[in-house]
């Protein structure tokens, strides 16, 4: 039983620094299925070059991955979703030919994003007469679908014909169903796997809120809103501190320090990079985690925090939104509403004992295990088995 994966987000020799979210998912299926991975990397070209390529043919090359079972492909295409359908269809034809040359006999094709890889998976599955599955990541799919409304009829077909869909978050599925129509199951909600999913009991802490991101992303991660909240808290609670976890190049550190200095606030500390296997211990010593990104598909750090006994503040209609609607220890606020953010900071500190008491109960139930690797792996394998009609 062989799954052929198609992903633009798999860390490969061409771009090793890609997130491990998709790789982690593939890894847990390795004991149950043989797998082959097509890892895709876009090389940007101008609109003029793209117009010529659309006539002559898109350039698709394979880079030696240095690993068995992985084909690292590069393709030329312009930005902003231009010529998206044409490019993805060309890649699909390339992959079909490559599968046939390699003698791979797929049981299932999985595209790890609806808006891009979904088009490829759909065409490959049609050509090879096998079922296909989809991951739904959230931010990328919403962004592309909002821009390429002309492709909604195709996306609607792909969305409803997939043998199974694995959304990372409820808000992502809600968005797709709002524009493409209600999907008939099977659909399996599948949070991202984090390597740090140990449960640590909550404890009483100082009024410290942490945030965690690479400093080069300070604009995306909404640093100005965090600083403004720290300014607000400095007058409301003189003992409050905001600690920011994350490394960066000298220029990024200087930019962040400049933003902090400009605000006049004195209660923000930059902790620098912390080894990933230590981050839960740091969060366990905090009153809460706040990360209010302008865009966030999932945000594994939120799960790491909750499992570490640390309440969280996250952006509404993004990240983990939809998983914790009935839980007070996970607070959603609009990332562009400073007044709401300030009030949420106050709540995290003022009601910390009660929030952590509720969080501790959650940690000992099915809510926490749902976000741990063992349960995610079981859900993924069960979904694959259903899609391939294999007995569970």
């Amino acid at each position: 039983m062989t799954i052929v994966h198609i992903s633009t987000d798999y860390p490969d020799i061409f771009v090793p620094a890609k997130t491990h979210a998709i790789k982690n998912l593939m890894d847990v299926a390795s004991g149950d299925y043989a797998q082959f991975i097509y890892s895709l990397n876009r090389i940007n070209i101008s609109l003029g070059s793209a117009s010529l390529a659309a006539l002559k043919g898109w350039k698709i090359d394979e880079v030696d991955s240095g690993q068995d079972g992985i084909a690292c492909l590069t393709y030329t295409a312009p930005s902003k979703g231009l010529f998206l359908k044409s490019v993805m269809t060309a890649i699909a034809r390339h992959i079909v030919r490559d599968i046939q040359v390699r003698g791979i006999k797929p049981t299932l094709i999985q595209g790890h994003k609806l808006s891009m890889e979904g088009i490829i998976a759909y065409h490959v599955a049609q050509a090879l007469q096998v079922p296909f599955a989809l991951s739904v990541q959230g931010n990328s799919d919403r962004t592309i679908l909002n821009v390429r409304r002309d492709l909604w009829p195709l996306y609607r077909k792909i969305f409803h014909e997939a043998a199974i869909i694995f959304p990372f978050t409820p808000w992502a599925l809600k968005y797709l169903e709002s524009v493409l129509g209600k999907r008939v199951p099977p659909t399996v909600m599948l949070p991202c796997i984090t390597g740090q999913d140990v449960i640590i009991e909550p404890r009483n802490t100082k009024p410290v809120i942490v945030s965690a991101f690479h400093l080069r992303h300070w604009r995306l991660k909404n640093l100005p809103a965090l600083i403004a909240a720290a300014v607000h808290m400095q007058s409301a609670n003189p003992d409050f501190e905001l600690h920011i976890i994350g490394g960066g190049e000298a220029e990024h550190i200087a930019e962040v320090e400049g933003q902090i200095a400009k605000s006049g606030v004195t209660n923000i500390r930059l902790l620098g990079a912390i080894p990933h296997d230590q981050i839960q211990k740091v969060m366990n010593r905090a009153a809460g985690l706040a990360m209010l990104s302008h865009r966030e598909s999932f945000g594994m750090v939120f799960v790491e925090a909750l499992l570490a006994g640390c309440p969280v503040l996250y952006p509404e209609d993004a990240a983990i939104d939809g998983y914790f609607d009935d839980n007070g220890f996970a607070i959603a606020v609009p990332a562009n509403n400073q007044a709401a953010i300030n009030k949420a900071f106050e709540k995290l500190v003022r009601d910390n004992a009660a929030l952590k008491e509720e969080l501790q109960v959650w940690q000992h139930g099915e809510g926490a295990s749902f976000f741990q690797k063992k349960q995610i792996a079981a859900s993924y394998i069960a979904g694959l088995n259903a899609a391939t009609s294999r007995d569970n």
Side-chain angles (χ1 to χ4, degrees):
M1 306 287 279
T2 301
I3 304 174
V4 168
H5 297 276
I6 303 168
S7 175
T8 61
D9 299 304
Y10 188 88
D12 57 25
I13 196 167
F14 194 77
V15 185
K18 294 177 187 176
T19 175
H20 278 65
I22 298 301
K23 182 181 185 302
N24 291 345
L25 191 60
M26 295 178 190
D27 287 347
V28 300
S30 60
D32 293 74
Y33 285 86
Q35 301 181 94
F36 192 89
I37 302 159
Y38 286 97
S39 180
L40 310 181
N41 302 276
R42 183 177 69 88
I43 297 175
N44 189 48
I45 57 174
S46 68
L47 182 57
S49 297
S51 300
L52 187 61
L55 296 173
K56 292 188 173 182
W58 299 101
K59 184 176 175 56
I60 304 167
D61 292 313
E62 181 172 346
V63 179
D64 184 3
S65 69
Q67 295 176 269
D68 292 335
I70 301 175
C72 177
L73 303 183
T74 63
Y75 66 95
T76 57
S79 60
K80 299 182 180 179
L82 297 172
F83 295 96
L84 181 62
K85 180 180 177 181
S86 175
V87 174
M88 296 299 112
T89 303
I91 295 172
R93 288 195 295 266
H94 177 95
I95 289 176
V96 169
R97 290 193 298 268
D98 193 71
I99 286 173
Q100 292 168 339
V101 169
R102 293 177 189 269
I104 301 170
K105 303 296 182 185
T107 311
L108 180 75
I109 311 296
Q110 181 165 3
H112 287 277
K113 199 184 303 98
L114 165 65
S115 50
M116 294 177 64
E117 296 97 306
I119 298 174
I120 302 170
Y122 172 74
H123 287 300
V124 172
Q126 274 198 325
L128 301 179
Q129 292 296 291
V130 295
F132 70 98
L134 294 176
S135 297
V136 173
Q137 295 193 29
N139 178 57
S140 297
D141 283 326
R142 180 166 61 183
T143 299
I144 294 174
L145 262 69
N146 282 343
V147 172
R148 293 305 308 265
R149 297 190 176 210
D150 58 307
L151 295 181
W152 280 11
L154 174 61
Y155 288 138
R156 187 172 293 113
K157 190 175 184 64
I158 296 169
F159 182 65
H160 291 287
E161 291 188 14
I164 195 163
I165 284 184
F166 299 103
F168 287 0
T169 57
W171 73 263
L173 177 63
K174 181 181 178 181
Y175 166 76
L176 288 183
E177 290 191 330
S178 73
V179 298
L180 303 178
K182 186 79 173 175
R183 177 178 156 81
V184 176
T187 297
V188 174
M189 204 62 61
L190 205 67
C192 295
I193 295 171
T194 171
Q196 305 303 315
D197 63 356
V198 175
I199 292 179
I200 307 175
E201 297 281 330
R203 62 173 173 167
N204 293 329
T205 61
K206 294 179 179 180
V208 172
I209 290 178
V210 298
S211 193
F213 52 88
H214 193 288
L215 298 187
R216 71 171 172 267
H217 299 310
W218 66 267
R219 291 181 181 85
L220 174 64
K221 299 303 181 180
N222 207 2
L223 176 65
L226 297 175
I227 293 175
V231 171
H232 171 77
M233 292 297 293
Q234 186 165 269
S235 58
N237 187 331
D239 295 325
F240 173 83
E241 290 185 358
L242 173 65
H243 294 177
I244 299 176
I245 302 168
E249 303 299 328
E251 62 182 290
H252 307 133
I253 297 172
E255 289 172 347
V256 170
E257 289 178 337
Q259 291 291 314
I260 295 171
K262 187 169 61 176
S263 73
V265 75
T266 59
N267 59 358
I268 298 179
R269 290 178 55 198
L270 300 182
L271 302 187
I274 291 176
H276 197 205
D277 62 359
Q278 296 298 309
I279 196 166
Q280 280 192 293
K281 293 179 182 178
V282 175
M283 292 189 290
N284 180 254
R285 298 194 292 265
L289 167 83
M291 195 164 76
L292 297 159
S293 312
H294 293 296
R295 299 185 304 278
E296 194 78 62
S297 286
F298 182 76
M300 288 181 276
V301 69
F302 294 113
V303 171
E304 293 168 348
L306 293 174
L307 295 176
C310 178
V312 299
L313 175 59
Y314 64 91
E316 190 175 79
D317 292 327
I320 54 173
D321 203 15
Y323 277 129
F324 299 98
D325 292 347
D326 300 321
N327 300 114
F329 53 76
I331 305 170
V333 294
N336 60 355
N337 186 329
Q338 191 63 52
I341 293 170
N342 292 349
K343 288 182 179 179
F345 267 63
E346 290 178 6
K347 181 178 178 63
L348 275 177
V349 172
R350 182 188 65 241
D351 302 337
N352 202 243
L355 296 178
K356 286 184 174 177
E357 184 178 346
E358 181 190 354
L359 176 54
Q360 186 173 27
V361 173
W362 176 86
Q363 285 182 326
H364 291 284
E366 294 181 357
S369 61
F370 177 78
F371 291 96
Q372 291 181 296
K373 180 178 179 179
K374 182 178 179 181
Q375 183 56 53
I376 297 170
S379 298
Y380 184 46
I381 297 302
L384 293 176
N385 290 344
T388 58
S389 300
R390 188 164 80 169
D391 293 335
N392 293 327

